[in-house]
mmCIF file with all atom_site columns, all heavy atoms in Angstrom:
data_model
loop_
_atom_site.group_PDB
_atom_site.id
_atom_site.type_symbol
_atom_site.label_atom_id
_atom_site.label_alt_id
_atom_site.label_comp_id
_atom_site.label_asym_id
_atom_site.label_entity_id
_atom_site.label_seq_id
_atom_site.pdbx_PDB_ins_code
_atom_site.Cartn_x
_atom_site.Cartn_y
_atom_site.Cartn_z
_atom_site.occupancy
_atom_site.B_iso_or_equiv
_atom_site.pdbx_formal_charge
_atom_site.auth_seq_id
_atom_site.auth_comp_id
_atom_site.auth_asym_id
_atom_site.auth_atom_id
_atom_site.pdbx_PDB_model_num
ATOM 1  N N   . THR A 1 22 ? -10.926 -49.992 -62.188 1.00 0.00 ? 1408 THR A N   1
ATOM 2  C CA  . THR A 1 22 ? -10.592 -48.574 -62.346 1.00 0.00 ? 1408 THR A CA  1
ATOM 3  C C   . THR A 1 22 ? -10.198 -48.214 -63.772 1.00 0.00 ? 1408 THR A C   1
ATOM 4  O O   . THR A 1 22 ? -10.308 -47.055 -64.157 1.00 0.00 ? 1408 THR A O   1
ATOM 5  C CB  . THR A 1 22 ? -9.478  -48.144 -61.367 1.00 0.00 ? 1408 THR A CB  1
ATOM 6  O OG1 . THR A 1 22 ? -8.312  -48.934 -61.598 1.00 0.00 ? 1408 THR A OG1 1
ATOM 7  C CG2 . THR A 1 22 ? -9.936  -48.273 -59.935 1.00 0.00 ? 1408 THR A CG2 1
ATOM 8  N N   . VAL A 1 23 ? -9.749  -49.180 -64.558 1.00 0.00 ? 1409 VAL A N   1
ATOM 9  C CA  . VAL A 1 23 ? -9.439  -48.907 -65.965 1.00 0.00 ? 1409 VAL A CA  1
ATOM 10 C C   . VAL A 1 23 ? -10.707 -48.483 -66.686 1.00 0.00 ? 1409 VAL A C   1
ATOM 11 O O   . VAL A 1 23 ? -10.712 -47.529 -67.464 1.00 0.00 ? 1409 VAL A O   1
ATOM 12 C CB  . VAL A 1 23 ? -8.792  -50.131 -66.651 1.00 0.00 ? 1409 VAL A CB  1
ATOM 13 C CG1 . VAL A 1 23 ? -8.860  -50.021 -68.157 1.00 0.00 ? 1409 VAL A CG1 1
ATOM 14 C CG2 . VAL A 1 23 ? -7.346  -50.265 -66.232 1.00 0.00 ? 1409 VAL A CG2 1
ATOM 15 N N   . GLU A 1 24 ? -11.786 -49.204 -66.410 1.00 0.00 ? 1410 GLU A N   1
ATOM 16 C CA  . GLU A 1 24 ? -13.061 -48.891 -67.056 1.00 0.00 ? 1410 GLU A CA  1
ATOM 17 C C   . GLU A 1 24 ? -13.520 -47.474 -66.744 1.00 0.00 ? 1410 GLU A C   1
ATOM 18 O O   . GLU A 1 24 ? -14.074 -46.796 -67.598 1.00 0.00 ? 1410 GLU A O   1
ATOM 19 C CB  . GLU A 1 24 ? -14.131 -49.889 -66.616 1.00 0.00 ? 1410 GLU A CB  1
ATOM 20 C CG  . GLU A 1 24 ? -13.883 -51.298 -67.114 1.00 0.00 ? 1410 GLU A CG  1
ATOM 21 C CD  . GLU A 1 24 ? -14.869 -52.299 -66.538 1.00 0.00 ? 1410 GLU A CD  1
ATOM 22 O OE1 . GLU A 1 24 ? -15.882 -51.894 -65.932 1.00 0.00 ? 1410 GLU A OE1 1
ATOM 23 O OE2 . GLU A 1 24 ? -14.613 -53.510 -66.699 1.00 0.00 ? 1410 GLU A OE2 1
ATOM 24 N N   . SER A 1 25 ? -13.285 -47.017 -65.525 1.00 0.00 ? 1411 SER A N   1
ATOM 25 C CA  . SER A 1 25 ? -13.722 -45.682 -65.126 1.00 0.00 ? 1411 SER A CA  1
ATOM 26 C C   . SER A 1 25 ? -12.633 -44.627 -65.321 1.00 0.00 ? 1411 SER A C   1
ATOM 27 O O   . SER A 1 25 ? -12.835 -43.469 -64.959 1.00 0.00 ? 1411 SER A O   1
ATOM 28 C CB  . SER A 1 25 ? -14.181 -45.697 -63.664 1.00 0.00 ? 1411 SER A CB  1
ATOM 29 O OG  . SER A 1 25 ? -13.098 -46.018 -62.819 1.00 0.00 ? 1411 SER A OG  1
ATOM 30 N N   . ARG A 1 26 ? -11.494 -45.043 -65.849 1.00 0.00 ? 1412 ARG A N   1
ATOM 31 C CA  . ARG A 1 26 ? -10.354 -44.152 -66.121 1.00 0.00 ? 1412 ARG A CA  1
ATOM 32 C C   . ARG A 1 26 ? -9.863  -43.431 -64.849 1.00 0.00 ? 1412 ARG A C   1
ATOM 33 O O   . ARG A 1 26 ? -9.526  -42.251 -64.879 1.00 0.00 ? 1412 ARG A O   1
ATOM 34 C CB  . ARG A 1 26 ? -10.698 -43.132 -67.196 1.00 0.00 ? 1412 ARG A CB  1
ATOM 35 C CG  . ARG A 1 26 ? -11.086 -43.740 -68.515 1.00 0.00 ? 1412 ARG A CG  1
ATOM 36 C CD  . ARG A 1 26 ? -11.322 -42.667 -69.560 1.00 0.00 ? 1412 ARG A CD  1
ATOM 37 N NE  . ARG A 1 26 ? -12.010 -43.133 -70.734 1.00 0.00 ? 1412 ARG A NE  1
ATOM 38 C CZ  . ARG A 1 26 ? -11.467 -43.803 -71.737 1.00 0.00 ? 1412 ARG A CZ  1
ATOM 39 N NH1 . ARG A 1 26 ? -10.204 -44.112 -71.682 1.00 0.00 ? 1412 ARG A NH1 1
ATOM 40 N NH2 . ARG A 1 26 ? -12.182 -44.166 -72.775 1.00 0.00 ? 1412 ARG A NH2 1
ATOM 41 N N   . GLU A 1 27 ? -9.829  -44.168 -63.751 1.00 0.00 ? 1413 GLU A N   1
ATOM 42 C CA  . GLU A 1 27 ? -9.397  -43.583 -62.485 1.00 0.00 ? 1413 GLU A CA  1
ATOM 43 C C   . GLU A 1 27 ? -8.147  -44.258 -61.923 1.00 0.00 ? 1413 GLU A C   1
ATOM 44 O O   . GLU A 1 27 ? -7.854  -44.118 -60.739 1.00 0.00 ? 1413 GLU A O   1
ATOM 45 C CB  . GLU A 1 27 ? -10.543 -43.666 -61.469 1.00 0.00 ? 1413 GLU A CB  1
ATOM 46 C CG  . GLU A 1 27 ? -11.763 -42.859 -61.881 1.00 0.00 ? 1413 GLU A CG  1
ATOM 47 C CD  . GLU A 1 27 ? -12.895 -42.967 -60.880 1.00 0.00 ? 1413 GLU A CD  1
ATOM 48 O OE1 . GLU A 1 27 ? -12.811 -42.284 -59.843 1.00 0.00 ? 1413 GLU A OE1 1
ATOM 49 O OE2 . GLU A 1 27 ? -13.828 -43.742 -61.142 1.00 0.00 ? 1413 GLU A OE2 1
ATOM 50 N N   . THR A 1 28 ? -7.405  -44.985 -62.751 1.00 0.00 ? 1414 THR A N   1
ATOM 51 C CA  . THR A 1 28 ? -6.246  -45.730 -62.251 1.00 0.00 ? 1414 THR A CA  1
ATOM 52 C C   . THR A 1 28 ? -5.192  -44.821 -61.638 1.00 0.00 ? 1414 THR A C   1
ATOM 53 O O   . THR A 1 28 ? -4.616  -45.162 -60.608 1.00 0.00 ? 1414 THR A O   1
ATOM 54 C CB  . THR A 1 28 ? -5.602  -46.584 -63.356 1.00 0.00 ? 1414 THR A CB  1
ATOM 55 O OG1 . THR A 1 28 ? -5.310  -45.750 -64.470 1.00 0.00 ? 1414 THR A OG1 1
ATOM 56 C CG2 . THR A 1 28 ? -6.484  -47.726 -63.768 1.00 0.00 ? 1414 THR A CG2 1
ATOM 57 N N   . ASN A 1 29 ? -4.926  -43.680 -62.256 1.00 0.00 ? 1415 ASN A N   1
ATOM 58 C CA  . ASN A 1 29 ? -3.874  -42.804 -61.720 1.00 0.00 ? 1415 ASN A CA  1
ATOM 59 C C   . ASN A 1 29 ? -4.250  -42.229 -60.365 1.00 0.00 ? 1415 ASN A C   1
ATOM 60 O O   . ASN A 1 29 ? -3.407  -42.133 -59.473 1.00 0.00 ? 1415 ASN A O   1
ATOM 61 C CB  . ASN A 1 29 ? -3.540  -41.700 -62.711 1.00 0.00 ? 1415 ASN A CB  1
ATOM 62 C CG  . ASN A 1 29 ? -2.824  -42.245 -63.930 1.00 0.00 ? 1415 ASN A CG  1
ATOM 63 O OD1 . ASN A 1 29 ? -2.162  -43.277 -63.874 1.00 0.00 ? 1415 ASN A OD1 1
ATOM 64 N ND2 . ASN A 1 29 ? -2.978  -41.570 -65.059 1.00 0.00 ? 1415 ASN A ND2 1
ATOM 65 N N   . GLN A 1 30 ? -5.526  -41.852 -60.189 1.00 0.00 ? 1416 GLN A N   1
ATOM 66 C CA  . GLN A 1 30 ? -5.968  -41.335 -58.897 1.00 0.00 ? 1416 GLN A CA  1
ATOM 67 C C   . GLN A 1 30 ? -5.890  -42.420 -57.829 1.00 0.00 ? 1416 GLN A C   1
ATOM 68 O O   . GLN A 1 30 ? -5.435  -42.186 -56.719 1.00 0.00 ? 1416 GLN A O   1
ATOM 69 C CB  . GLN A 1 30 ? -7.394  -40.784 -58.989 1.00 0.00 ? 1416 GLN A CB  1
ATOM 70 C CG  . GLN A 1 30 ? -7.915  -40.220 -57.669 1.00 0.00 ? 1416 GLN A CG  1
ATOM 71 C CD  . GLN A 1 30 ? -7.059  -39.095 -57.124 1.00 0.00 ? 1416 GLN A CD  1
ATOM 72 O OE1 . GLN A 1 30 ? -6.746  -38.160 -57.847 1.00 0.00 ? 1416 GLN A OE1 1
ATOM 73 N NE2 . GLN A 1 30 ? -6.662  -39.186 -55.868 1.00 0.00 ? 1416 GLN A NE2 1
ATOM 74 N N   . VAL A 1 31 ? -6.308  -43.626 -58.185 1.00 0.00 ? 1417 VAL A N   1
ATOM 75 C CA  . VAL A 1 31 ? -6.258  -44.738 -57.236 1.00 0.00 ? 1417 VAL A CA  1
ATOM 76 C C   . VAL A 1 31 ? -4.807  -45.065 -56.882 1.00 0.00 ? 1417 VAL A C   1
ATOM 77 O O   . VAL A 1 31 ? -4.488  -45.309 -55.716 1.00 0.00 ? 1417 VAL A O   1
ATOM 78 C CB  . VAL A 1 31 ? -7.013  -45.972 -57.780 1.00 0.00 ? 1417 VAL A CB  1
ATOM 79 C CG1 . VAL A 1 31 ? -6.789  -47.196 -56.910 1.00 0.00 ? 1417 VAL A CG1 1
ATOM 80 C CG2 . VAL A 1 31 ? -8.507  -45.665 -57.892 1.00 0.00 ? 1417 VAL A CG2 1
ATOM 81 N N   . ALA A 1 32 ? -3.923  -45.044 -57.879 1.00 0.00 ? 1418 ALA A N   1
ATOM 82 C CA  . ALA A 1 32 ? -2.501  -45.296 -57.610 1.00 0.00 ? 1418 ALA A CA  1
ATOM 83 C C   . ALA A 1 32 ? -1.945  -44.254 -56.657 1.00 0.00 ? 1418 ALA A C   1
ATOM 84 O O   . ALA A 1 32 ? -1.178  -44.578 -55.735 1.00 0.00 ? 1418 ALA A O   1
ATOM 85 C CB  . ALA A 1 32 ? -1.710  -45.310 -58.912 1.00 0.00 ? 1418 ALA A CB  1
#
Side-chain angles (χ1 to χ4, degrees):
T1408 59
V1409 163
E1410 293 174 12
S1411 64
R1412 300 184 195 281
E1413 297 179 78
T1414 54
N1415 290 334
Q1416 180 59 50
V1417 171

